[in-house]
Amino acid sequence: MTTYREFHRRSIEDKEGFWAEQARLVHWEKPPGKVLDYGRPPFARWFVGGETNLCYNALDRHLGARGNQKALVYISTETGEERSLSYRELHLEVQRAAAMMRSLGVGKGDRVVVYMPMIPEAAFVILACARIGAIHSVVFGGFAAASLAARIDDARPKLMVTADGGSRMGKVVLYKALVDEALALAKHPPSKIVLYNRGFDRAVRMTPGRDLDYAELRAKHLDAVVPCTWLESNEPSYILYTSGTTGRPKGVQRDVGGYAVALAASMKHIYCGGAGETMFTTSDIGWVVGHSYIIYAPLIAGMTTVLYEGVPVRPDAGIWWKIVQDHSVNVMFSAPTAIRVLKKHDPAFLRKYDLGSLKHLFLAGEPLDEPTHAWIADALGKPVIDHYWQTETGWPILTSVPGVEKTPIKLGSPSFPAYGYDLKLLREADAAEAAAGEKAVVAIAPPLPPGCMSTVWGDDERFVKTYFGTFRNKQVYSTFDWGIRDADGYYFILGRTDDVINVAGHRLGTREIEEAVSMHSNIAECAVVGVADSLKGQMPLAFAVAKDTTRLNSAEGRKALEREVMETVDKQLGAIARPKSVHFVSLLPKTRSGKTLRRSIQALAEGRDPGDLTTIEDPAALEQIRSALKTSTEP
Ligand code: AMP
C-alpha cells in the first residue's frame, strides 16, 4: 500500500508518469501524444494531442453499464419538487438542449452565458455546452444586472440561457427584468436568449425575435441525436468569473482533458466516491464547487448527484440529513458557513436520521474554525475533512487524501498538499522557503497540475502578471493566501494576502464593493474592509465620504443614506456583497502616497492594533474611523 507521502512525492518527481496513469480514468477518443508540454512557462498544457469530451465522460460512457441508474436527483425544498433522471434520461435531455443550441447557431468555441437557478435544466445546458464544444460561463443567480453585464461583455456570448426566476426561503426572485437590464447595459449582448419558464413570472416579458422559450424549443428536438464534438485536451471548456484585487472580475479559463482527469482522480483518491454511489454537494452551480462536484466529477465517476435547491434549515435543520438518509448519500460536500448555521439548531436533527451510508463530509470555501469542525465531526460521528482550494484550481490544493491513506485529521487544518501540487510556503520579502511555524505566502511551483486554470480568458498577460508576479525573482503561482505549516507537516490557512474577502464562502473583492458604493451619486470616496463575523466568516464594512453632508447631521439622515448606499450595492453586485454597515467620515486614512490604509481600518474594526502608522498622511482620519466604530457599537 502506498502512503500519502510516497503518492505525493511521485506526483512531483515523475509528473508525466503519474498523470499518464491517472489519465486512464477517463475516455480518450484519441490518446494524448505528450502528457505535459511546459515549453512556454508558466502555461502548462496537459495531455497534448489527446481528444476527449467532458459530456461523453459524464454521460455516454456510462450508458452501457448504468443507463438505468439515477444520474441526477433534483430536490427543491423551495417548490416541493423532486425529480430524478437516469443516465439514459439525462443523456436524452442533454441532447435536446444541445440540439436546441445548435439550432440557434451555437457551435464549438462559442460562449454561452448561463444565468440560472438550481434546476435540472441548468445542468442540461452546461452538459450540452460541453457536448458540442461550446464554452459555458455560468453566472451565479445572486449577481445583479451590472455584474452580469460585465461578465457578458468579457465573454461575448452568442447565447444566454436563463429562467424566469429563482427562489430563496420560499420567496421568488424574478430574473427576467434583471436580465433585460443587464442586456441593456452590455455592449456585446448575445443575440438570443432562451428562458426556462418555471411559472414564477406570469407577466414575463419576452422580446420577439430575441427571447425564446426553453420548453417550446425542447419540444422541437425531442428525438435529437447530437454526437459529442471531440476536443483537443487543451481547448477551453468553460469560463468562470472570480473576484480579485481589481474591480474587474477575472475569467478563469479551464481546459477539457486536464479537468476531466483531475476530477476523475479526485473522486478516486480524495472523495472516495465510486460508481453507483451518491454524492450530495450543497453548493450552487454558479460557483466552482458546483461545476466540479455537483455536475462534472460525480457524473464522470458514474455516481448519482444530488442537485438541491433550498437552504439547510427549511423546512427544518434536519433537511440535509434527511436527504442523506433517503438517498443513501455516500459523499457529502458543504461549506463552513452552512455548518455554523446548523450549529445554532438542535443537534437532535442530526441524530434523527440514519446516516449509515455517509463515509465523509468534506468542507471548503472558507476557513473552518476549530469549534465548528469539532462540533460537526462529533455530531456526525464521521470524518469531516476540511480542504482548501480556489476557483482557479478547480479541485483541492490542500486536503487529506483518504483514498490513498487515512491520515489523522487535525482540527482547523486542511491537512497536506494534494498530489500534483508542489506547494511552497514562501516568505513575502525574499521568496525564501519559510520554516515550520512561520507564516508565509501559500504558493505553487509551476507547472500547475491538470484541472487548474489554463489562463485568464482573453488575457494571457493578466494570467502571468496576476498569478505569477508576486515575487520578483521567482515565477511561482500565488494563491494570495497566508499559510503556516506545523511541525507535523499539517498546513493552516490564515487569510488572504490581498484585498479579497470571503463572505459565507463567496469571494468578493473589496475594490469591487468600493466601486459599487461609489456608484451612489452622493459618495465621493470610500474604503471597504472585511471584518470577522461569527456566522459568515467575514462581512464587508464600508467607510464613506459623502459629497453633500447635510443629511449626515441627523441620525435619520445618516440611516437613510446608509440604506441607499446598501441598495446601490445590491443593485450593482447583488445582496451578497451588501456591507454590514456604512460609516460616514470626512476623510479616509491614507498613506502620503495616497494609498488607503485598509489593513489599519480592518484592524480597528476588529478591535486590534492598527499597526505601523508611520506613513499615514493625517492621523485624524484614523481617529474618525475609531469614533465612527464606537458610535455604531454603542446601544
Ligand atoms: P473561491 O475561489 O471563491 O473558492 O475562494 C478561494 C479562497 O477561499 C481561497 O483563496 C481561500 O482564501 C478561501 N478558502 C477556500 N477553502 C478554504 C479552506 N478550507 N480554509 C481556508 N480558506 C479557504
Side-chain angles (χ1 to χ4, degrees), residues 324-368:
V324 170
Q325 171 190 275
D326 293 355
H327 296 275
S328 304
V329 171
N330 307 99
V331 187
M332 191 167 165
F333 186 157
S334 191
T337 292
I339 306 302
R340 285 193 290 265
V341 168
L342 291 174
K343 204 167 117 192
K344 290 181 182 274
H345 294 261
D346 192 342
F349 280 120
L350 272 143
R351 287 192 286 271
K352 209 169 138 186
Y353 299 100
D354 177 3
L355 307 180
S357 57
L358 192 65
K359 291 187 276 190
H360 295 107
L361 168 65
F362 288 87
L363 297 172
E366 53 180 314
L368 173 63

Side-chain angles (χ1 to χ4, degrees), residues 12 20 40 72 185 217 348 373 415 512 611:
I12 303 302
R40 195 183 143 225
L72 188 142
L185 287 171
L217 278 174
H373 197 166
S415 299
E512 254 178 303

Side-chain angles (χ1 to χ4, degrees), residues 8-315:
H8 183 266
R9 190 179 42 77
R10 182 161 172 247
S11 75
I12 303 302
E13 290 176 1
D14 174 20
K15 289 184 182 60
E16 301 206 24
F18 179 89
W19 286 109
E21 223 166 77
Q22 305 305 320
R24 291 193 207 119
L25 294 168
V26 305
H27 168 86
W28 293 94
E29 186 65 10
K30 184 175 161 222
K34 198 169 170 16
V35 176
L36 170 66
D37 167 12
Y38 196 52
R40 195 183 143 225
F43 297 91
R45 288 161 48 80
W46 287 98
F47 311 114
V48 185
E51 285 180 11
T52 186
N53 181 289
L54 280 163
C55 183
Y56 184 91
N57 276 288
L59 299 178
D60 304 56
R61 197 167 57 125
H62 304 304
L63 291 177
R66 49 193 78 255
N68 295 325
Q69 180 198 306
K70 283 180 191 168
L72 188 142
V73 171
Y74 171 59
I75 301 163
S76 173
T77 49
E78 297 291 332
T79 61
E81 198 185 338
E82 219 177 299
R83 199 175 146 194
S84 52
L85 291 102
S86 65
Y87 269 93
R88 208 178 305 285
E89 288 163 335
L90 184 56
H91 184 244
L92 282 176
E93 286 299 347
V94 169
Q95 291 189 86
R96 289 166 186 158
M100 205 155 102
M101 291 197 284
R102 284 218 313 205
S103 75
L104 299 173
V106 177
K108 185 178 154 184
D110 291 330
R111 275 80 60 209
V112 175
V113 164
V114 179
Y115 186 75
M116 290 181 97
M118 290 286 284
I119 53 175
E121 286 70 20
F124 305 163
V125 170
I126 289 169
L127 289 162
C129 285
R131 191 169 193 85
I132 62 173
I135 301 167
H136 58 75
S137 183
V138 185
V139 178
F140 174 59
F143 276 123
S147 297
L148 178 57
R151 285 155 175 78
I152 289 174
D153 280 339
D154 196 76
R156 303 202 181 184
K158 206 168 205 173
L159 172 73
M160 170 145 114
V161 187
T162 187
D164 57 341
S167 176
R168 195 174 157 78
M169 302 283 278
K171 230 179 90 193
V172 167
V173 187
L174 295 181
Y175 280 15
K176 189 55 176 22
L178 186 150
V179 164
D180 284 340
E181 195 187 332
L183 292 170
L185 287 171
K187 290 188 199 74
H188 306 282
S191 54
K192 297 281 179 224
I193 309 297
V194 172
L195 181 133
Y196 182 78
N197 199 327
R198 310 177 74 185
F200 283 179
D201 187 355
R202 293 191 188 284
V204 68
R205 282 193 24 211
M206 302 288 273
T207 303
R210 187 196 69 182
D211 300 352
L212 301 150
D213 183 77
Y214 188 106
E216 279 174 26
L217 278 174
R218 176 183 174 274
K220 290 187 192 152
H221 299 283
L222 288 180
D223 303 318
V225 175
V226 180
C228 290
T229 300
W230 300 111
L231 300 166
E232 197 279 332
S233 176
N234 294 279
E235 292 189 75
S237 57
Y238 69 73
I239 310 167
L240 181 57
Y241 288 90
T242 188
S243 299
T245 310
T246 62
R248 198 160 57 94
K250 287 183 292 275
V252 166
Q253 178 181 319
R254 190 97 59 216
D255 68 358
V256 177
Y259 189 48
V261 172
L263 292 183
S266 74
M267 291 314 291
K268 183 174 174 198
H269 307 305
I270 301 173
Y271 296 98
C272 305
E277 294 190 327
T278 300
M279 182 159 191
F280 175 23
T281 298
T282 70
S283 182
D284 188 283
I285 49 149
W287 308 119
V288 68
V289 177
H291 283 60
S292 292
Y293 295 107
I294 296 177
I295 299 189
Y296 288 116
L299 295 175
I300 288 174
M303 299 177 78
T304 303
T305 185
V306 177
L307 184 82
Y308 175 71
E309 182 185 43
V311 295
V313 290
R314 210 171 154 270

Side-chain angles (χ1 to χ4, degrees), residues 424-432 440-444 465 467-479 482:
K424 309 274 181 208
L425 283 178
L426 303 180
R427 289 185 185 139
E428 197 182 26
D430 56 3
V441 178
V442 181
I444 304 165
K465 262 200 184 146
Y467 293 105
F468 295 87
T470 299
F471 302 103
R472 235 182 318 136
N473 306 321
K474 216 177 222 168
Q475 195 178 53
V476 289
Y477 171 91
S478 173
T479 60
W482 294 112

Side-chain angles (χ1 to χ4, degrees), residues 242 288 363-368 386-392 414 479 481 493 496 502 505 507:
T242 188
V288 68
L363 297 172
E366 53 180 314
L368 173 63
D386 176 18
H387 62 334
Y388 156 84
W389 51 296
Q390 311 183 302
T391 304
E392 287 84 348
T479 60
D481 281 302
I493 296 295
R496 298 280 302 194
N502 197 317
R507 178 165 153 191

